[in-house]
Amino acid sequence: MEHKLIRIDRELVYRGSVLDIYKDTMELPNGKKEYWDFVDHRKGGACIVPVLPDGRILMVRQYRPVIERETLELPAGARDSVDEDTKVTAARELLEETGMTSGKLTLLTKIRPAVAWCSEFTDIYLAEDLTREGEQDLDDAEEIGLEPWDLSELCRRIYAGELQDAKTVAGILAYSNLRMLREHG
């Protein structure tokens, strides 16, 4: 397929510790020019679906200043470097946020939450055979509560619009699908 939408210029507007923001000059298929915002997320990250021995999923509750409210999410975090394997990121974030390690860490899916304007990616892992290794080891800015939830209740909350975090929705639904496939072949 030939693409008629062309970027003809990119100007760095802001360089942050994780994000760079650019102003792109785009030529549209009709020949007109527009300015578009582009966010380059340099690190990417990992998200974890931690399944407890009783089948419940261990969720984290935390305040998110961007949306000015608490959220219920899956544990997740950014890679320490652009070269870090996301499986390493997932294992580290699971330990830091929950105090647990996984005997079986399996890639469930990969997502790009906002492909129209951001390069961010998140690899989502299933963490099974969990073992408590200690207490949470949170960053200075993190206040995270831990809550075990039944998969069916999490799915209900997704379809009711109560859970909106993209990585959490994708992770819960991917795990729900995998469970169904495991049960029904």
Side-chain angles (χ1 to χ4, degrees):
M1 179 172 154
E2 184 182 341
H3 303 284
K4 296 181 181 173
L5 181 64
I6 302 166
R7 180 178 56 236
I8 55 178
D9 190 36
R10 173 167 281 171
E11 175 188 343
L12 179 64
V13 176
Y14 171 79
R15 178 172 290 284
S17 59
V18 176
L19 304 172
D20 291 338
I21 301 174
Y22 293 89
K23 180 172 83 173
D24 286 353
T25 304
M26 303 298 296
E27 183 177 307
L28 308 183
N30 65 6
K32 291 182 181 179
K33 291 187 176 79
E34 283 188 0
Y35 297 105
W36 290 9
D37 296 330
F38 168 68
V39 177
D40 184 24
H41 189 290
R42 290 191 305 277
K43 291 186 177 183
C47 175
I48 309 95
V49 182
V51 179
L52 297 166
D54 65 5
R56 293 182 298 167
I57 297 171
L58 190 58
M59 303 290 288
V60 298
R61 184 173 297 276
Q62 59 188 319
Y63 178 74
R64 292 296 195 178
V66 170
I67 59 172
E68 297 182 335
R69 67 179 173 91
E70 277 190 350
T71 61
L72 187 64
E73 301 175 37
L74 291 169
R79 296 186 301 171
D80 278 350
S81 72
V82 296
D83 299 324
E84 183 175 64
D85 185 322
T86 57
K87 192 170 189 176
V88 171
T89 308
R92 181 185 65 251
E93 291 296 329
L94 177 66
L95 181 60
E96 288 176 3
E97 293 190 7
T98 70
M100 302 191 119
T101 57
S102 172
K104 186 177 180 187
L105 199 58
T106 309
L107 182 65
L108 268 177
T109 192
K110 297 171 173 258
I111 63 169
R112 289 190 173 266
V115 296
W117 56 270
C118 184
S119 66
E120 179 183 13
F121 70 88
T122 303
D123 293 347
I124 302 174
Y125 290 86
L126 174 61
E128 299 172 289
D129 301 331
L130 297 177
T131 305
R132 171 139 324 268
E133 291 295 322
E135 299 302 312
Q136 293 171 303
D137 184 20
L138 303 175
D139 296 336
D140 290 341
E142 289 179 314
E143 295 178 278
I144 294 176
L146 300 175
E147 300 178 16
W149 284 77
D150 289 323
L151 177 61
S152 60
E153 179 58 17
L154 291 171
C155 288
R156 185 202 66 75
R157 293 190 72 179
I158 287 169
Y159 293 119
E162 297 168 15
L163 295 180
Q164 298 175 348
D165 173 61
K167 67 187 179 312
T168 298
V169 171
I172 297 298
L173 294 180
Y175 173 62
S176 179
N177 239 7
L178 177 65
R179 238 179 83 174
M180 189 172 30
L181 289 171
R182 284 177 175 175
E183 291 172 5
H184 302 291

